[in-house]
Amino acid sequence: MSRGLFITLEGLDGSGKTTQINRLSTWLKQRGHAPLVTRQPGGTATGDRIRSLVLDSRSTGLAPMAEMALMFADRAQAIAEVIEPALKAGQIVLCDRFTDSTEAYQGGGRELGSSVVLELHRLLCGNLQPGLTLLLLPGLEASLARARHRNQRTADENGADENRFEQEQEAFYRRVWQKYREIAAREPARVVLIEGDLSIDEVHERIVEAVSERLAGSIRALRTD
Ligand code: TMP
């Protein structure tokens, strides 16, 4: 049994990741694949509990290091329980956020730096690397406008509480955006950067192009084994 393909989607809040992951999953199913779709934080029973703790705006005063540790606790559980078994079984895994989010939000946004994140990833996650990361990054101004809009909307709705990050200020999102760009520049072979203010269909097309290339690559690798 050949190992599956691990694909992650990344981007700022409101970048359309969830819509795109669902469209990609449908596209893959139409081509005979059975992708496993998961998200972080969350995706396991333990992870869902961590998710409510870390995203609930009532979790006030959470220290940045504690926040990062919770993200990694969630990830280590998801890898053991869901991601590794699926990859071993040859499945394609689509994961909404992974360690790049920790590097961007805690490393960049919370200013903990990249090296502690990468070191914890090595220690706690066996340095598992996605085969492909799709990074959705509209221009900084559009991203900030979306983040502000979401802040306002969630404040107005005052509903289900997953709003802790959305209360952050512009400077926080600016650092997250910057760190994402840094990651893309550092790892061009893994990260496909989808930039600019594109329509949902245009982003989907770019994603399909990148995924098709990887799938063709895995088939070529199998034939030469
Ligand atoms: P989302 O599920 O809507 O993408 O929201 C998850 C939030 O959690 C989002 O604001 C980003 C944040 N987050 C981190 O700060 N660090 C992480 O490692 C992950 C996975 C998410």
Side-chain angles (χ1 to χ4, degrees), residues 47 50 53 66 95 116 178 192:
I50 295 174
L53 178 66
C95 193
V116 65
Q178 204 61 50
V192 171

Coordinates of all heavy atoms in Angstrom, one line a residue, residues 47 50 53 66 95 116 178 192:
G47 N -9.5 16.9 20.4 CA -9.3 18.2 19.6 C -10.4 19.1 19.7 O -10.3 20.3 19.8
I50 N -10.3 20.9 22.9 CA -9.2 21.9 22.9 C -9.7 23.1 22.1 O -9.5 24.2 22.4 CB -7.9 21.3 22.3 CG1 -7.4 20.2 23.2 CG2 -6.9 22.4 22.1 CD1 -6.2 19.4 22.7
L53 N -11.9 25.3 24.0 CA -11.1 26.1 25.0 C -10.4 27.2 24.4 O -10.4 28.4 24.9 CB -10.2 25.1 25.7 CG -9.3 25.6 26.8 CD1 -10.1 26.0 28.0 CD2 -8.3 24.4 27.2
A66 N 1.0 29.0 26.4 CA 0.0 28.0 26.7 C -0.9 27.8 25.4 O -1.3 26.7 25.1 CB -0.9 28.5 27.8
C95 N -6.4 18.9 5.1 CA -6.4 19.4 6.5 C -6.5 20.9 6.5 O -5.7 21.6 5.9 CB -5.2 18.9 7.3 SG -5.3 19.2 9.0
V116 N 10.8 28.3 17.8 CA 10.2 27.4 18.9 C 9.1 26.6 18.2 O 8.9 25.4 18.6 CB 9.7 28.3 20.1 CG1 8.6 29.3 19.6 CG2 9.2 27.5 21.2
Q178 N 2.3 38.6 7.3 CA 3.8 38.7 7.0 C 4.5 37.3 7.2 O 5.3 36.9 6.4 CB 4.4 39.7 8.0 CG 5.6 40.4 7.5 CD 5.4 41.1 6.2 OE1 4.5 41.9 6.1 NE2 6.2 40.9 5.2
V192 N 2.1 26.4 -2.2 CA 1.6 27.1 -3.4 C 0.9 28.3 -2.9 O -0.2 28.1 -2.3 CB 0.8 26.1 -4.3 CG1 0.1 26.9 -5.4 CG2 1.6 25.0 -4.9

